[in-house]
Amino acid sequence: MILHGYWRSGASYRVRIGLALKGLAYDLAAHDLRKGEQKAADYLALNPQGMVPALQDDDLVVTQSPAILEWLEETHPEPALLPADVADRAHVRAMASLIGCDIHPLNNLRVLKSLRSDFSADQSTVDAWAARWIAPGFDALEVLIDRHGGGWSFGDRPGLVDCYLIPQLYSARRFNMMLDAWPGLLAVEARSLDHPAFQAAHPDRQADADA
């Protein structure tokens, strides 16, 4: 498999975690979003949206991180990212979507570039914009993790929600957010620090990361 991504992309980060949790090997094809490499003609031929990540497996190319993670779950079901119970699976998908649909899209690179170029936002304004959307999402996740967690975001083993949560916490720190208000989230993050899959997926450990 080939993962097309960027070291600091939150969506790429969540896919790296999923691949690592399942113990799946892959090659990296790095596309520096700051340089617009994701808009190169050869990559657009694979992914017409010109975004990362995309996962290539022989002739198959899967785009969009939720679809990639679901595809991995269906094609490599063990170890599972989703619980067995159908109601629990719905709860997990809802928690993941809270991050993937309601938080992350509002603080990804193309939105931040627009804030800076179209509205002359400085860094403090960008930080405030990101916090405006991250904080209420984290408030809800704090309640849900308290309700459903058992050491991890849902239950007693790492899964789909953690693939989304850990990159979003990394992103929140990039916007200079103080995270003390969410001890449940931080407890999950602390556990992830000792887990080899999360260590391997961390942005700083990627081959294309800044020195």
Side-chain angles (χ1 to χ4, degrees):
M1 289 187 289
I2 301 172
L3 177 63
H4 296 265
Y6 171 59
W7 67 282
R8 208 163 55 185
S9 155
S12 299
Y13 189 179
R14 68 177 69 133
V15 170
R16 292 197 303 266
I17 294 172
L19 287 162
L21 285 172
K22 289 184 175 293
L24 297 172
Y26 62 91
D27 294 323
L28 173 66
H31 305 271
D32 193 326
L33 305 187
R34 297 166 298 186
K35 299 177 181 177
E37 292 176 355
Q38 74 279 16
K39 301 299 184 182
D42 57 346
Y43 184 61
L44 289 174
L46 292 174
N47 180 4
Q49 195 177 13
M51 297 176 67
V52 296
L55 187 66
Q56 190 174 1
D57 187 27
D58 293 327
D59 293 332
L60 174 68
V61 178
V62 185
T63 63
Q64 293 290 343
S65 60
I68 295 170
L69 289 167
E70 291 278 358
W71 180 81
L72 289 173
E73 184 74 348
E74 292 176 359
T75 56
H76 302 84
E78 295 298 334
L81 299 178
L82 288 163
D85 180 77
V86 65
D88 288 345
R89 292 164 81 91
H91 288 310
V92 164
R93 287 187 171 107
M95 291 171 71
S97 295
L98 192 161
I99 299 170
C101 298
D102 297 333
I103 298 178
H104 175 258
L106 290 161
N107 56 77
N108 68 17
L109 183 60
R110 62 179 182 164
V111 170
L112 302 182
K113 282 185 174 180
S114 178
L115 288 173
R116 293 185 175 104
S117 63
D118 299 341
F119 302 99
S120 302
D122 60 13
Q123 189 58 48
S124 64
T125 302
V126 168
D127 289 350
W129 165 269
R132 175 181 179 181
W133 309 110
I134 294 172
F138 279 5
D139 287 343
L141 282 167
E142 184 75 13
V143 174
L144 293 169
I145 289 174
D146 181 65
R147 184 179 299 167
H148 297 297
W152 294 92
S153 296
F154 194 100
D156 60 359
R157 63 180 185 177
L160 186 69
V161 183
D162 306 298
C163 294
Y164 283 76
L165 175 62
I166 301 306
Q168 193 58 61
L169 288 167
Y170 174 86
S171 179
R173 289 193 175 90
R174 289 183 56 221
F175 299 115
N176 300 304
M177 288 186 66
M178 300 297 294
L179 302 178
D180 295 346
W182 304 288
L185 278 62
L186 293 179
V188 173
E189 183 186 44
R191 176 162 287 198
S192 77
L193 295 176
D194 294 324
H195 194 291
F198 292 87
Q199 293 172 351
H202 193 278
D204 292 348
R205 297 195 174 192
Q206 305 315 302
D208 60 323
D210 288 347

